[in-house]
Amino acid sequence: MQVPFLDLRVQNNSIMPEIQAALSPIIENAQFILGPAVEAFEKDFAAYIGTRECVGLNNGTSALHMALLALGVQPGDEIITTPHTWISTSWAISYVGAKPVYVDIDPQTYNLDPARVKSAITSKTKVILPVHLYGQAADVVQLRSIADEHGLALLEDAAQAHGAKQAGRRIGSIGHVGSFSFYPGKNLGAFGEGGAIVTDDPKIASHVRRLRDHAQDGRHNHVEIGFNTRMEGVQGAVLKAKLPHLDGWNARRREHAAQYTESLKNTPGIILPSCPAAEGHVWHLYVVQVESMDRELFRTKLAERGIATGVHYPTAVPLQPAYQYLGHKPGDFPIAERVMSRCVSLPMFAELTREQVAYTATAIREVLAAGN
Ligand SMILES: *Cc1c(COP(=O)(O)O)cnc(C)c1O
């Protein structure tokens, strides 16, 4: 049996007529950049997340970048964030000339640890920037109260957590700004690059709207240094057509996660992801820690059985060459580094079958039993 890590074609084929109907007007009317399809998606996505505003952008990295600019971050400001994430979270901090201040993660959720965040706050801190890693909600309720107490902004990197909830509210709506990516492999994916910010603050939304379109305030009046970070019409149309399916797709991911957990529980040599309140996790990835054998050997043995896996992510961001200038060394983030040295992402997408999950779980038990 073949078990791909991710197969976008099944999902696209299942809604092809809806997608084609959504795309025709874009092509017929040649509304390729922004336009009515992007506006309609922004309206729907804001309603879905539960914020007043949504601004469509060209990708999730830009969304974080534009959000930090609109939050007024200045060169030299400090932003507290996680070492365990996709690099974009830190890129955005660097783009605005701020300094990323990394604190270690919670060993259960792999997300920012609020207690460590609190002790990292200085007079230069401006923003707390958590990531809802693998689709699991970070403790943003607590982080929001820490931010409010210290007069800081909370920016949620929700690129992996479309539809997750905490305290009954959608992830992205608890911080001052939420940032999303619609990279094709995300839980809600475009037909190319895409991103957005959501917020209840109309000033932040209108600032990002201006920034994304060359900082124009009226045609040919550029009021500050601007960007071209606009969402394309095609992406707005595809995302609007896909959004009504998101909760259903996330429900399927939860079923697969429950099946993995049930089939792999009590298996020696492996640590399973923590299973919090169901609504708090949308299982962008199902990530295990391989304790008893070499990670690459484990992955190779699974690949030999037709099962594709991934590693998200192998190196703590502060230990990347790009961030060498901060002077961190191995051992500075022991929890994140341990998780990152052992983590393996199992196949996960809505259209996986029960047979594929069962086959993968059985293969994992066999590979671990055989050992190195
Ligand atoms: C995907 C991702 C991003 C960046 O999104 P792009 O659309 O690829 O630019 C940012 N943060 C996290 C945590 C991500 O997973």
Side-chain angles (χ1 to χ4, degrees):
M1 187 184 286
Q2 292 296 310
V3 190
F5 183 66
L6 167 67
D7 187 347
L8 298 170
R9 291 168 304 179
V10 200
Q11 183 172 100
N12 293 337
N13 287 333
S14 74
I15 54 167
M16 198 56 92
E18 294 161 58
I19 297 278
Q20 278 166 345
L23 288 178
S24 309
I26 305 288
I27 298 161
E28 280 159 26
N29 303 323
Q31 280 161 329
F32 295 117
I33 313 285
L34 297 176
V38 171
E39 278 169 39
F41 169 67
E42 288 174 341
K43 204 164 150 277
D44 287 2
F45 197 64
Y48 175 81
I49 297 295
T51 51
R52 289 172 67 181
E53 304 267 3
C54 167
V55 184
L57 297 160
N58 62 340
N59 59 59
T61 309
S62 296
L64 291 164
H65 181 193
M66 303 294 106
L68 290 178
L69 287 169
L71 287 168
V73 174
Q74 300 290 320
D77 288 346
E78 292 179 0
I79 298 183
I80 301 172
T81 194
T82 171
H84 187 7
T85 178
W86 173 243
I87 191 82
S88 295
T89 319
S90 284
W91 283 160
I93 297 171
S94 301
Y95 295 163
V96 297
K99 180 186 176 193
V101 173
Y102 300 98
V103 299
D104 212 349
I105 56 173
D106 178 285
Q108 247 70 54
T109 64
Y110 310 149
N111 282 322
L112 266 190
D113 176 348
R116 287 191 165 87
V117 168
K118 213 167 175 172
S119 25
I121 293 171
T122 72
S123 58
K124 289 184 177 167
T125 308
K126 186 83 190 220
V127 177
I128 302 172
L129 175 35
V131 176
H132 303 283
L133 196 71
Y134 307 150
Q136 175 166 17
D139 192 349
V140 268
V141 168
Q142 207 182 327
L143 290 173
R144 174 73 196 234
S145 75
I146 294 170
D148 288 346
E149 203 178 301
H150 292 84
L152 310 174
L154 178 64
L155 167 59
E156 299 179 57
D157 183 345
Q160 303 186 0
H162 317 69
K165 285 185 180 174
Q166 184 166 95
R169 295 171 62 187
R170 295 273 185 206
I171 284 313
S173 69
I174 295 165
H176 297 85
V177 185
S179 169
F180 287 88
S181 164
F182 305 115
Y183 180 81
K186 301 285 160 93
N187 289 37
L188 180 63
F191 277 14
E193 306 270 2
I197 62 107
V198 295
T199 182
D200 279 329
D201 185 335
K203 280 208 207 80
I204 288 176
S206 63
H207 194 175
V208 173
R209 272 177 218 288
R210 197 172 73 199
L211 286 170
R212 76 176 168 181
D213 195 18
H214 302 286
Q216 291 183 96
D217 188 3
R219 187 114 176 97
H220 297 306
N221 179 39
H222 307 277
V223 295
E224 64 185 309
I225 305 294
F227 300 84
N228 175 358
T229 52
R230 300 170 299 214
M231 179 178 272
E232 294 183 344
V234 163
Q235 309 313 339
V238 166
L239 291 166
K240 181 176 157 56
K242 283 180 143 195
L243 181 58
H245 298 281
L246 176 60
D247 286 343
W249 290 330
N250 283 342
R252 298 299 310 279
R253 287 175 183 267
R254 286 189 182 116
E255 288 169 19
H256 303 324
Q259 194 189 343
Y260 272 132
T261 299
E262 181 58 29
S263 320
L264 289 170
K265 70 176 184 213
N266 306 324
T267 306
I270 199 172
I271 298 176
L272 303 182
S274 69
C275 277
E279 64 170 21
H281 208 322
V282 290
W283 299 101
H284 174 57
L285 295 169
Y286 188 97
V287 177
V288 299
Q289 289 185 63
V290 180
E291 275 189 303
S292 62
M293 68 186 284
D294 177 75
R295 168 166 67 192
E296 286 315 307
L297 183 63
F298 175 81
R299 297 186 63 209
T300 304
K301 299 268 190 195
L302 290 178
E304 283 166 3
R305 289 163 166 79
I307 300 162
T309 57
V311 174
H312 302 86
Y313 301 90
T315 309
V317 174
L319 302 180
Q320 289 283 355
Y323 286 103
Q324 215 173 9
Y325 75 93
L326 291 169
H328 291 295
K329 51 188 190 319
D332 282 358
F333 308 95
I335 303 170
E337 288 170 56
R338 192 178 64 234
V339 173
M340 297 175 95
S341 68
R342 298 163 161 189
C343 61
V344 174
S345 311
L346 305 187
M348 175 56 83
F349 52 98
E351 297 75 16
L352 269 179
T353 64
R354 282 194 73 78
E355 291 69 32
Q356 285 174 313
V357 174
Y359 173 79
T360 303
T362 303
I364 288 172
R365 278 192 264 105
E366 287 170 6
V367 166
L368 287 169
N372 280 316

